Amino acid sequence: MKIGIVGSGGIVLSFLDALKYVEDVEAVSIWCREKSIEKAKKIAKDNGFEKVYTNYELMLKDDEIDFVYIGLPNNLHYEYSKKALEFNKNVINEKPFTSTIKEAETLAQLAKKNNLFLFEAITTLHTPNYKLIKEKLPEIGEIKIVSGNYSQYSSRYDAFLAGKIHPVFNPELSGGALVDINIYNLHFVTGLFGKANEVRYMANVAHNGIDTSGIVTLRFDKFNAVCIGAKDCGCESSVYIEGTKGYIKVSGSPGICSSFEVCLNKQEKEIFNEQQFSNHMVYEICDFRDIYNSKNYKECYKLLEHSLDVIKETVQARKDAGIIFSADK
């Protein structure tokens, strides 16, 4: 499985680091803008390949490439994924999958029409601990409350307050706390319980119309969930799933699921951790490889339906808080 990298930012470096721990998957090229050519050349050299493109269509014509990995700002995910699918390339697209529901549905339809694999690189679903949580869920009885808090004071927030707007705080580039950080909570909850019946978002909205933090509430048939995400403040992150017979607590980010504990009937807690890699992107790449190698389109499109559900929830939340992206227009 040979991958063409699209972008040269920090997420790309993490993805390439993860590839070092995955067999039968390698990066063979990278695309970047002209202004980032020297940076891309260094990335290529450091990771053992030579091909550096500044013409995206030219890279997509490279027959050596099986997949492209889209590691660009949020607002570009749709455009670059669509172009790759049109050139019959399989796609791994970073989260958030797209900015709008229409964009997500268009990509899904195009992938299915061309019999291609299309994945959202959302780490949560693929970690061994998250998969084990699914197995342990029935033990805690009927679910009553789910709460997730993923809050990190952004290294770019002070600059934002000073007037320098980074993409993560720019509504024109599909930024904001909801799609950057709280979306991990949405994936976590939706992956376990399906799409919510009702979505509301109480957001702290800045002067430029972007959400710097906020609380999403999800209403299901028999319980409610609360998802908190913040880039203007921070605390210890965790997820709690509370049932009639006990609870499950996930320590740390819902995107990593570094460990979790199960407590039944107020008895002694049991701690679980089946993960061995510090780079949590390893697990999603392994899953994508296995699905691709086995030509398991059914599993791919099942994951794709999940991504569509989360995008629908995200857009509903944004609209509820009055947050408008350029892509909405």
Side-chain angles (χ1 to χ4, degrees):
M1 180 172 159
K2 297 184 177 181
I3 301 177
I5 303 296
V6 181
S8 57
I11 194 67
V12 164
L13 299 181
S14 295
F15 184 83
L16 287 168
D17 176 71
L19 289 184
K20 298 173 184 176
Y21 305 96
V22 182
E23 293 183 356
D24 302 322
V25 183
E26 62 177 322
V28 296
S29 64
I30 187 170
W31 171 90
C32 68
R33 298 189 187 280
E34 289 281 357
K35 65 179 182 179
S36 301
I37 186 71
E38 293 305 319
K39 183 179 181 181
K41 285 180 179 178
K42 184 178 186 307
I43 290 173
K45 181 179 179 181
D46 290 346
N47 288 276
F49 59 90
E50 297 180 352
K51 288 187 279 190
V52 177
Y53 293 95
T54 54
N55 184 311
Y56 188 45
E57 289 194 6
L58 192 60
M59 188 179 88
L60 294 176
K61 292 176 181 177
D62 187 339
D63 291 335
E64 186 181 18
I65 297 171
D66 301 309
F67 271 84
V68 294
Y69 167 76
I70 311 294
L72 296 171
N74 298 346
N75 64 308
L76 299 177
H77 289 183
Y78 169 70
E79 174 188 348
Y80 280 77
S81 293
K82 184 172 182 285
K83 178 70 73 173
L85 293 169
E86 289 171 342
F87 274 76
N88 284 309
K89 295 297 185 186
N90 302 292
V91 174
I92 300 171
N93 185 16
E94 262 303 331
K95 67 83 189 168
F97 191 56
T98 57
S99 300
T100 70
I101 297 171
K102 183 178 179 180
E103 288 178 349
E105 291 176 338
T106 299
L107 293 184
Q109 291 166 4
L110 188 56
K112 292 175 182 178
K113 176 184 176 182
N114 293 348
N115 206 37
L116 293 166
F117 291 94
L118 172 61
F119 297 111
E120 180 180 12
I122 182 70
T123 53
T124 305
L125 307 183
H126 305 280
T127 60
N129 287 341
Y130 185 76
K131 294 176 181 179
L132 186 57
I133 288 169
K134 280 189 174 183
E135 295 178 21
K136 296 288 183 182
L137 203 55
E139 296 180 14
I140 64 171
E142 184 179 352
I143 305 303
K144 293 297 183 180
I145 291 177
V146 180
S147 56
N149 189 331
Y150 188 14
S151 299
Q152 287 184 335
Y153 190 91
S154 173
S155 60
R156 299 178 175 91
Y157 185 60
D158 288 343
F160 173 69
L161 294 177
K164 184 177 180 181
I165 301 177
H166 186 272
V168 76
F169 291 116
N170 191 337
E172 294 182 6
L173 303 184
S174 304
L178 173 65
V179 298
D180 183 67
I181 199 165
N182 208 357
I183 198 166
Y184 286 106
N185 286 317
L186 293 179
H187 274 286
F188 187 101
V189 176
T190 307
L192 293 179
F193 306 108
K195 186 174 177 289
N197 298 328
E198 181 183 341
V199 182
R200 304 299 301 269
Y201 188 33
M202 296 175 287
N204 292 316
V205 180
H207 61 87
N208 66 338
I210 203 65
D211 56 316
T212 57
S213 59
I215 302 170
V216 176
T217 57
L218 306 171
R219 184 178 294 279
F220 294 88
D221 288 340
K222 295 184 178 181
F223 70 94
N224 298 317
V226 176
C227 298
I228 301 170
K231 299 188 73 65
D232 55 9
C233 56
C235 71
E236 209 170 274
S237 297
S238 64
V239 181
Y240 282 90
I241 308 169
E242 302 174 51
T244 53
K245 296 181 180 179
Y247 67 84
I248 294 173
K249 176 190 175 183
V250 180
S251 298
S253 159
I256 299 175
C257 296
S258 56
S259 67
F260 70 96
E261 62 186 54
V262 179
C263 182
L264 302 178
N265 297 318
K266 300 181 180 179
Q267 300 299 315
E268 188 172 332
K269 302 168 187 174
E270 188 174 2
I271 298 175
F272 298 87
N273 183 11
E274 295 196 346
Q275 295 174 193
Q276 56 179 315
F277 295 104
S278 58
N279 188 329
H280 54 291
M281 298 179 83
V282 170
Y283 301 109
E284 63 180 8
I285 298 170
C286 286
D287 278 356
F288 299 157
R289 175 202 61 194
D290 294 345
I291 291 170
Y292 173 68
N293 287 342
S294 63
K295 303 302 177 187
N296 191 346
Y297 290 97
K298 182 178 180 180
E299 181 62 23
C300 173
Y301 297 154
K302 179 182 175 182
L303 290 169
L304 193 51
E305 285 302 314
H306 165 84
S307 292
L308 289 171
D309 284 344
V310 172
I311 286 299
K312 289 173 183 177
E313 291 173 335
T314 305
V315 172
Q316 288 170 14
R318 282 202 297 108
K319 288 184 176 180
D320 187 56
I323 299 163
I324 306 299
F325 290 164
S326 292
D328 297 320
K329 305 171 185 178

